[in-house]
Amino acid sequence: MKTSYPPKNDKRALVTGISGQDGSYLAELLLAKGYEVYGMVRRSSSFNTSRIDHIYQDPHEADVRLRLVYGDQADGSSLDQLVKTIRPDEIYNLGAQSHVRVSFDIPEYTSEVTGLGCLRLLEAIRERELNCRFYQASSSEMYGKCVETPQTERTPFYPRSPYGCAKVYAYWITVNYRESYGLFACNGILFNHESPRRGETFVTRKITRAIAHIVNGLQDKLYLGNLEAKRDWGYAREYVEAMWLMLQQAKPDDYVVATGETHSVREFLEAAFAHAGLDWRKYVEIDPNYYRPTEVDLLVGDASKAKKQLGWEPKTKFNDLVKLMVDADMQMVKDHLAGKGRVAS
Ligand code: NAP
Ligand code: GDD
């Protein structure tokens, strides 16, 4: 399908993790601003681009704004080649093994991809003497066993998972390259953010997808782990705007991006099932397999710095986020049953 975009702005962006939740929203945002976007995807035995199929362009089109290129966070030579050949103005490093529970099962791989993958990109920028701006997808998971509440840019880190440890490494190596080599490198410390494009094994999406299946008679039970953990949940589409804003400032810096509200998994369950007219207690069972060896009990961020310096503020409230996710999964199942779409697997 032929796509038309606003006038070009002469900027090139490289986005790692473009096939993920955030990558897909960020690509839409950058394309809408006139960027030429290069999205790094990794080789997979099945299609892994469903979140960006709607913006995919035939590379033979006349005015191609989105190009997909192969690479892997674990393969420094591929990252170096991309930096060398594309010479992007901005790099958004979103690629990661991003599942906290899974990071306990594959800790070494998680450290390679989520931690060292960041260093590999920074090294490629330094070695190629590229004058570009760099965004690192840092995480509230770095606060882990929080030493203060709410968490700010000054709160010390206490990670509680191999994923959290890898993100702390990536955070500090980003700061180090900024200070050592003068790179324009920023950390966005993003608290949990969700959407209808959220991976199906993260708790919010697992719940909303299960509700749609239960309502349509496709599933009887939903098995979950710890219901008492509290998270600061925002809407992903809004959070990618903060990423972009960080790279448009006069000076590189690090920012917390959060809503400032916290809710338990149990509250999310209650709100989501209630929106579908169901009592969650009839369907939910606890499976200890979903417990983590060490848990992050409470996250709540203070995004005043992002508000003051970037002019960024969250708009979507918790209850609206829950509703939009339930509604989207309901629609997706309805389309699937009508033969119009597919159920996200
Ligand atoms: P996601 O949906 O899990 O997407 C992760 C992306 O990384 C996918 O495109 C994935 O590709 C890619 N990836 C995984 N392993 C890779 C590898 N070895 N080489 C290259 N690419 C690889 O995550 P997200 O929610 O969009 O999050 C984006 C980033 O923000 C991640 O770094 C995450 O850790 C971080 N973060 C997320 C949140 C949140 O609440 N969502 C909060 C703070 C920070 P495939 O599609 O092929 O798997
Ligand atoms: N995934 C999952 N599955 N989590 C469950 C389940 C379940 O069945 N049952 C309870 N939980 C609890 C987890 O124990 C955790 O306390 C909470 O739900 C949220 O889990 P996830 O949705 O997996 O997200 P996360 O907070 O561990 O990590 C996400 O947010 C981080 C930012 O704080 C990921 O997106 C990370 O990549 C991100 O950095």
Side-chain angles (χ1 to χ4, degrees):
M1 193 175 53
K2 185 103 184 72
T3 341
S4 59
Y5 289 109
K8 249 186 171 161
N9 72 6
D10 287 333
K11 277 199 186 166
R12 274 191 304 279
L14 171 62
V15 179
T16 72
I18 194 165
S19 57
Q21 170 188 257
D22 292 6
S24 66
Y25 286 121
L26 180 65
E28 283 175 10
L29 181 81
L30 295 173
L31 290 169
K33 289 185 182 296
Y35 281 65
E36 195 176 328
V37 178
Y38 288 80
M40 189 180 94
V41 290
R42 57 183 177 152
R43 199 269 158 183
S44 161
S45 65
S46 53
F47 289 121
N48 60 351
T49 54
S50 60
R51 293 188 183 97
I52 48 172
D53 282 347
H54 62 292
I55 49 172
Y56 178 76
Q57 284 180 286
D58 182 332
H60 304 102
E61 266 185 45
D63 182 22
V64 182
R65 299 292 180 87
L66 172 65
R67 290 184 172 82
L68 299 185
V69 288
Y70 280 111
D72 199 296
Q73 304 285 120
D75 179 4
S77 66
S78 66
L79 301 176
D80 182 57
Q81 273 302 308
L82 295 177
V83 167
K84 181 180 131 192
T85 52
I86 298 167
R87 297 196 73 78
D89 301 286
E90 295 173 8
I91 298 182
Y92 295 87
N93 185 34
L94 312 183
Q97 191 302 94
S98 71
H99 203 284
V100 174
R101 176 67 192 83
V102 172
S103 78
F104 288 98
D105 301 327
I106 49 170
E108 197 176 322
Y109 176 78
T110 303
S111 307
E112 271 293 338
V113 168
T114 306
L116 285 176
C118 175
L119 169 69
R120 292 185 180 107
L121 263 175
L122 289 166
E123 258 302 273
I125 297 168
R126 186 182 74 81
E127 290 252 321
R128 298 287 169 191
E129 298 181 353
L130 184 67
N131 182 19
C132 83
R133 297 185 167 204
F134 180 82
Y135 173 86
Q136 167 56 20
S138 284
S139 165
S140 51
E141 191 66 18
M142 300 189 300
Y143 297 118
K145 194 173 176 185
C146 298
V147 303
E148 68 176 2
T149 295
Q151 295 87 51
T152 73
E153 293 80 5
R154 291 172 307 286
T155 304
F157 301 138
Y158 189 152
R160 295 271 277 174
S161 62
Y163 169 83
C165 294
K167 284 288 185 188
V168 170
Y169 172 78
Y171 170 94
W172 280 116
I173 202 69
T174 299
V175 172
N176 183 253
Y177 271 56
R178 179 166 78 213
E179 293 176 353
S180 304
Y181 307 116
L183 290 191
F184 192 109
C186 303
N187 282 289
I189 308 173
L190 271 53
F191 283 63
N192 296 51
H193 45 281
E194 320 292 311
S195 75
R197 295 188 201 164
R198 184 56 144 153
E200 293 87 345
T201 60
F202 295 97
V203 77
T204 56
R205 184 76 200 288
K206 185 170 166 183
I207 293 169
T208 60
R209 183 174 177 267
I211 289 169
H213 283 194
I214 289 167
V215 165
N216 287 283
L218 302 171
Q219 183 174 337
D220 302 322
K221 291 280 172 207
L222 168 60
Y223 294 94
L224 293 173
N226 177 17
L227 304 187
E228 308 315 326
K230 291 181 140 187
R231 291 289 182 274
D232 179 330
W233 277 299
Y235 182 28
R237 189 184 280 285
E238 293 166 7
Y239 282 40
V240 301
E241 289 172 17
M243 298 176 185
W244 178 78
L245 283 167
M246 285 176 216
L247 297 201
Q248 313 312 311
Q249 303 306 302
K251 285 189 187 152
D253 208 341
D254 308 315
Y255 299 88
V256 160
V257 176
T259 69
E261 259 189 46
T262 191
H263 295 273
S264 64
V265 174
R266 185 184 295 273
E267 285 174 280
F268 192 100
L269 259 182
E270 273 167 1
F273 274 79
H275 182 57
L278 300 173
D279 178 358
W280 67 275
R281 289 170 196 80
K282 290 188 185 151
Y283 304 97
V284 174
E285 289 192 9
I286 300 302
D287 179 347
N289 281 318
Y290 292 113
Y291 291 153
R292 296 161 185 198
T294 40
E295 178 63 281
V296 171
D297 297 319
L298 166 72
L299 291 175
V300 56
D302 174 352
S304 336
K305 180 176 169 185
K307 183 175 178 186
K308 190 162 167 237
Q309 294 187 25
L310 305 177
W312 181 88
E313 265 189 291
K315 296 182 188 76
T316 305
K317 294 283 179 200
F318 174 76
N319 275 309
D320 295 326
L321 177 66
V322 172
K323 287 178 191 164
L324 79 83
M325 289 180 69
V326 172
D327 291 345
D329 271 316
M330 291 284 210
Q331 188 62 46
M332 205 179 293
V333 171
K334 199 171 149 200
D335 288 348
H336 173 71
L337 293 175
K340 281 195 276 178
R342 63 172 197 89
V343 182
S345 55

